[in-house]
Amino acid sequence: MPENSIQLSDPKISGNEWKYVKECLDSNWVSSAGKYVDLFEEKIADYTGAKHAIACVNGTSALQVSLRLAGVKPGDEVIVPTLTFIAPVNAIRYNGAEPIFMDADNYYNLDIKKTILYIINETVLKDGYTYNKNSDKRISAIVPVHVWGNAVWLDKLVMLCDERNIAIVEDACESLGTFYNAGKYKGKHTGTIGKLGCLSFNGNKIITTGGGGMILTGDESLSEKAKYLTTQAKDDPIRYVHNEIGYNFRLTNIQAALGVAQLEQLPGILKRKKEIYDFYQSTIENIAGLSLSKVPDYAHNNHWLNLLQIDSKVYNEDREVLMKRLEENGIQTRPVWKLNHEQKPYKGCQYYKVEKAKKLVDNSLCLPSSSNLSNENLNKIVSVLNG
Ligand SMILES: *Cc1c(COP(=O)(O)O)cnc(C)c1O
């Protein structure tokens, strides 16, 4: 692909990034201590409304630690959608637990109806814990993933999981900026409803620290424990006493400095993301056989990534042919993730009535959605879609 090609999701560095990073370098505070780590945590907590935010090296490590903090033990089982980036599934395995894969809904998210049916019909509550009737294993947690920035509808799931003592760990890695505008959680940001929630600041996400993540929680003791575990579990930092096995997962000051500057840019980024969504929406609806995937009306969406749906009988090209033609025109697009229950490490794991996810994967294509995408390039993309 040529160098001036249109990328799927580029970072936008246009604020105080240079200034704050230079400050770290000038002051010699480059590693995991320094004012920006604390400041970034405070600012993320402020923005999302989470009581506590704990910075991590990436979103995957945030998920790994959050599942451990949620009480997931080796031999447990954890419910997760099959249609998601693989990171939350791997995080379940890092904790020695096994995934149970669920289907997707119209927004590519965890199918809540089927998940509730599964919990009601396929599990039992015994001595205060939920057990899988089929495997006899304890189901200790569930990971709703807010894919592409689409909020998962959590009202009913939270109620049932409370009754069943199943901890909710939200994967909000793609949905910073998305909040509910209806229901029980109106006004609440994704990632702040479960026992714990996780964000990612990878280069392709809505804001970036190069690599980085954040654990969100409303529980002070979990927050303290998260900080303890992510900084090598030091019980006495001077005499090197460790009473647990921790991790070296703390974000560095340089990365956090980038994060603080990026967070200042977030309102502008979100505004542009909405314009891009509106543009795609209004232009693509005029192309026979193509449509832009709908986003939930119960939430204010961050529109991190836009998805094209292709009806290949009407459009005369299938997903693969269209992807290739876009690439020849210097436009990068990507299919939706291969379903996790079909991935080599997870073949043989349990899955429940997976139907819709398969259809979504076959007919969808992620469109370039960077906030620094020019109007000229947007027009170019749509003109190639027009054939
Ligand atoms: C990016 C992403 C992650 C992992 O975040 P990293 O910071 O890349 O480790 C996890 N879940 C989802 C849904 C993601 O998109």
Side-chain angles (χ1 to χ4, degrees):
M1 205 169 262
E3 208 168 288
N4 60 352
S5 64
I6 303 171
Q7 302 292 309
L8 198 66
S9 184
D10 268 344
K12 186 180 183 195
I13 311 290
S14 58
N16 286 316
E17 287 84 354
W18 281 100
K19 184 175 161 211
Y20 297 165
V21 170
K22 185 170 187 305
E23 212 178 295
C24 297
L25 301 181
D26 287 343
S27 66
N28 224 17
W29 285 99
V30 294
S31 196
S32 50
K35 76 169 193 188
Y36 279 111
V37 184
D38 293 339
L39 193 62
F40 189 39
E41 287 175 334
E42 266 169 45
K43 296 210 175 267
I44 286 284
D46 267 1
Y47 177 78
T48 58
K51 274 212 186 99
H52 308 279
I54 305 90
C56 286
V57 285
N58 52 47
T60 308
S61 62
L63 284 159
Q64 180 182 349
V65 175
S66 293
L67 286 166
R68 177 164 160 190
L69 290 170
V72 174
K73 300 264 184 322
D76 284 358
E77 293 179 343
V78 176
I79 297 171
V80 66
T82 186
L83 202 172
T84 172
F85 181 52
I86 201 168
V89 187
N90 288 342
I92 293 168
R93 269 283 174 82
Y94 300 157
N95 280 282
E98 288 292 320
I100 303 172
F101 293 110
M102 289 291 149
D103 201 11
D105 69 10
N106 287 335
Y107 308 118
Y108 300 74
N109 273 332
L110 179 77
D111 184 320
I112 293 296
K113 277 194 197 127
K114 279 189 187 169
T115 304
I116 288 176
L117 267 181
Y118 174 82
I119 294 173
I120 289 173
N121 293 330
E122 307 293 332
T123 75
V124 285
L125 187 65
K126 251 189 324 198
D127 308 324
Y129 293 109
T130 291
Y131 292 87
N132 183 342
K133 282 184 193 169
N134 188 37
S135 67
D136 268 340
K137 300 264 175 74
R138 182 167 80 110
I139 299 175
S140 45
I142 179 166
V143 186
V145 185
H146 305 282
V147 295
W148 323 122
N150 293 345
V152 180
W153 181 251
L154 288 174
D155 284 28
K156 287 189 181 127
L157 191 69
V158 171
M159 268 187 327
L160 182 61
C161 287
D162 280 350
E163 283 168 24
R164 293 306 205 100
N165 197 10
I166 299 171
I168 295 180
V169 175
E170 292 175 72
D171 180 337
C173 286
E174 301 178 357
S175 65
L176 177 66
T178 296
F179 58 88
Y180 294 89
N181 57 26
K184 211 159 100 188
Y185 300 110
K186 191 173 173 183
K188 291 229 180 235
H189 282 247
T190 52
T192 67
I193 290 153
K195 192 167 194 172
L196 298 126
C198 300
L199 305 176
S200 165
F201 310 112
N202 191 33
N204 62 345
K205 300 301 199 290
I206 196 146
I207 62 167
T208 186
T209 58
M214 195 73 77
I215 298 172
L216 306 178
T217 182
D219 183 317
E220 189 170 357
S221 67
L222 288 182
S223 152
E224 279 165 15
K225 190 84 194 266
K227 193 154 175 195
Y228 167 77
L229 287 179
T230 53
T231 53
Q232 304 278 33
K234 292 175 185 138
D235 287 276
D236 183 336
I238 313 275
R239 286 168 187 79
Y240 298 101
V241 178
H242 308 270
N243 293 329
E244 289 199 52
I245 300 171
Y247 315 91
N248 182 14
F249 279 174
R250 189 91 173 137
L251 195 73
T252 66
N253 205 42
I254 295 178
Q255 291 166 310
L258 261 176
V260 171
Q262 283 269 288
L263 193 55
E264 292 171 357
Q265 303 298 309
L266 184 56
I269 291 173
L270 287 168
K271 186 165 166 277
R272 183 62 183 157
K273 291 275 190 188
K274 174 75 164 76
E275 286 168 7
I276 293 170
Y277 171 79
D278 289 342
F279 173 83
Y280 277 139
Q281 167 89 348
S282 61
T283 48
I284 288 171
E285 72 178 7
N286 301 320
I287 308 174
L290 297 185
S291 56
L292 193 68
S293 154
K294 293 205 169 33
V295 301
D297 59 6
Y298 52 75
H300 181 94
N301 203 294
N302 76 354
H303 300 294
W304 172 59
L305 215 59
N306 295 290
L307 278 116
L308 185 69
Q309 294 181 332
I310 307 142
D311 180 344
S312 51
K313 285 195 205 87
V314 181
Y315 188 64
N316 288 326
E317 277 179 357
D318 67 9
R319 205 257 321 273
E320 292 303 308
V321 174
L322 177 58
M323 190 166 94
K324 187 143 185 299
R325 196 161 59 79
L326 284 158
E327 190 177 325
E328 285 161 5
N329 282 277
I331 299 163
Q332 183 186 52
T333 58
R334 283 282 177 271
V336 171
W337 308 287
K338 177 176 168 158
L339 297 178
N340 284 297
H341 75 289
E342 292 170 349
Q343 300 277 12
K344 196 172 169 193
Y346 299 110
K347 269 188 189 154
C349 288
Q350 300 164 83
Y351 58 91
Y352 182 70
K353 296 187 176 167
V354 175
E355 291 145 352
K356 180 147 236 158
K358 288 187 185 151
K359 288 187 197 134
L360 290 173
V361 166
D362 288 343
N363 74 0
S364 304
L365 202 53
C366 301
L367 291 172
S369 303
S370 313
S371 56
N372 47 13
L373 206 58
S374 65
N375 288 346
E376 188 192 341
N377 278 340
L378 279 171
N379 280 317
K380 179 178 170 188
I381 294 163
V382 170
S383 80
V384 175
L385 291 177
N386 259 311

